[in-house]
């Protein structure tokens, strides 16, 4: 069974631009979560989706948004990019939404903002 | 404050030596507990998890972890380290105590170096 896939793997953007990252969960998984990983802040939860609905949101500004499609694929969008948005963005999928279900992570999208 | 702590930022062990990575949590009750490993340029791989029951949990790649309620700890161990174990290890907590759903709160990670 194929794992979680994230596209693109690497991205370079300029400050002020916007970016969209894509995540395809493991086949049959219906929950998708997003995390930001930086050297300074570590791994931080962005949001999670289940059945096309955002179920939980981390402490990030409104510039960070996401959505989930009927096939469980998810996208996250960052508008008005700032230098501090440079990070590895990780997507994780789970079979369903609930208490501490196992999550399987993709390889991440490395975003560099210049 | 509620948190998960990994006191060791870097650990170096010789190949074949035993390993213990520390993790402590600070919540009002026992959250769900996880250990993940991240190799350079890769995502996170789940090593093992603890929800309830037996306090010694077996995982993949020969890792195990012991939950100690009295110490609020969930330390990861491996009897004999291989060079391929060099990576960054993250302890994480989940469940309703951390916001519910599948949300994970991660420790800051421990970078493991293995000397040949």
């Amino acid at each position: 069974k194929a794992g979680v896939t994230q596209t693109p793997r690497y991205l370079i953007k300029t400050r002020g631009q916007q970016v969209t990252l894509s995540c395809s969960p493991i086949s049959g998984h219906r929950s998708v979560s997003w995390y930001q990983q930086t050297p300074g802040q570590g791994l931080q939860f962005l949001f999670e989706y289940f059945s096309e609905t955002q179920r939980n949101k981390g402490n990030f500004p409104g510039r960070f948004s996401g959505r989930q499609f009927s096939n469980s694929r998810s996208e996250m969008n960052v508008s008005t990019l700032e230098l501090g948005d440079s990070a590895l963005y990780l997507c994780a999928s789970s079979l369903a939404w609930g208490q501490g279900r196992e999550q399987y992570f993709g390889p991440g999208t490395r975003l560099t903002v210049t | 404050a509620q948190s998960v702590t990994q006191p060791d930022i870097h650990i170096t062990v010789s190949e074949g030596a035993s390993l213990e990575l520390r993790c402590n949590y600070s919540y009002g009750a026992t959250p769900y507990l996880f250990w993940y490993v991240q190799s350079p340029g890769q995502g996170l791989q789940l090593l093992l998890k603890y929800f309830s029951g037996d306090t010694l949990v077996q995982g993949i790649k020969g890792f195990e972890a012991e939950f100690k309620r009295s110490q609020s700890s969930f330390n990861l161990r491996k009897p004999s380290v291989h060079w391929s174990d060099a990576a960054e290890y993250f302890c994480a907590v989940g469940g309703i105590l951390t916001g519910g759903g599948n949300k994970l709160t991660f420790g800051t990670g421990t970078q493991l170096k293995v000397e040949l």
Side-chain angles (χ1 to χ4, degrees), chain A residues 9 31 35 37 43 45 48 56 88 90 94 96-103 105-107, chain B residues 32 34 36 38 41-44 46 49 51 90 94-96 99-104 106:
Chain A
R9 290 293 309 279
S31 176
Y35 294 82
Q37 185 176 25
L43 281 153
F45 172 78
E48 66 179 323
N56 211 340
L88 181 67
L90 293 164
S94 300
W97 187 75
Q99 295 301 319
R101 290 182 181 271
E102 292 183 28
Q103 294 190 69
F105 283 79
Chain B
Y32 298 140
F34 305 82
Y36 282 86
Q38 185 177 36
Q42 302 296 316
L44 299 166
L46 178 65
K49 64 185 185 293
F51 288 176
F90 292 93
I96 196 167
N102 297 329
K103 174 188 174 184
L104 293 173
F106 287 89

Side-chain angles (χ1 to χ4, degrees), chain A:
Chain A
K1 186 181 281 191
V4 177
T5 57
Q6 293 187 244
T7 56
R9 290 293 309 279
Y10 302 92
L11 205 49
I12 300 175
K13 289 288 188 178
T14 302
R15 194 170 49 183
Q17 290 184 316
Q18 75 165 13
V19 67
T20 300
L21 312 182
S22 179
C23 172
S24 294
I26 293 171
S27 177
H29 284 198
R30 297 172 59 202
S31 176
V32 173
S33 300
W34 289 89
Y35 294 82
Q36 181 196 65
Q37 185 176 25
T38 61
Q41 299 300 315
L43 281 153
Q44 293 186 290
F45 172 78
L46 280 157
F47 27 63
E48 66 179 323
Y49 289 87
F50 176 71
S51 292
E52 303 176 63
T53 302
Q54 188 179 89
R55 301 289 178 151
N56 211 340
K57 189 178 190 303
N59 188 25
F60 278 83
R63 299 185 297 107
F64 291 81
S65 62
R67 58 178 176 169
Q68 186 181 34
F69 302 96
S70 59
N71 62 358
S72 296
R73 192 177 68 85
S74 178
E75 289 181 347
M76 68 163 283
N77 183 275
V78 188
S79 63
T80 319
L81 283 165
E82 300 177 359
L83 295 178
D85 297 332
S86 294
L88 181 67
Y89 289 88
L90 293 164
C91 166
S93 76
S94 300
L95 270 173
W97 187 75
Q99 295 301 319
R101 290 182 181 271
E102 292 183 28
Q103 294 190 69
Y104 298 85
F105 283 79
T109 294
R110 173 73 63 184
L111 172 65
T112 302
V113 182
T114 62

Side-chain angles (χ1 to χ4, degrees), chain B residues 67-83:
Chain B
F67 167 65
K68 291 186 177 180
R69 186 187 306 275
S70 61
Q71 299 178 18
S72 297
S73 68
F74 188 56
N75 293 348
L76 182 72
R77 302 194 298 234
K78 187 169 186 178
S80 178
V81 170
H82 188 262
W83 64 267

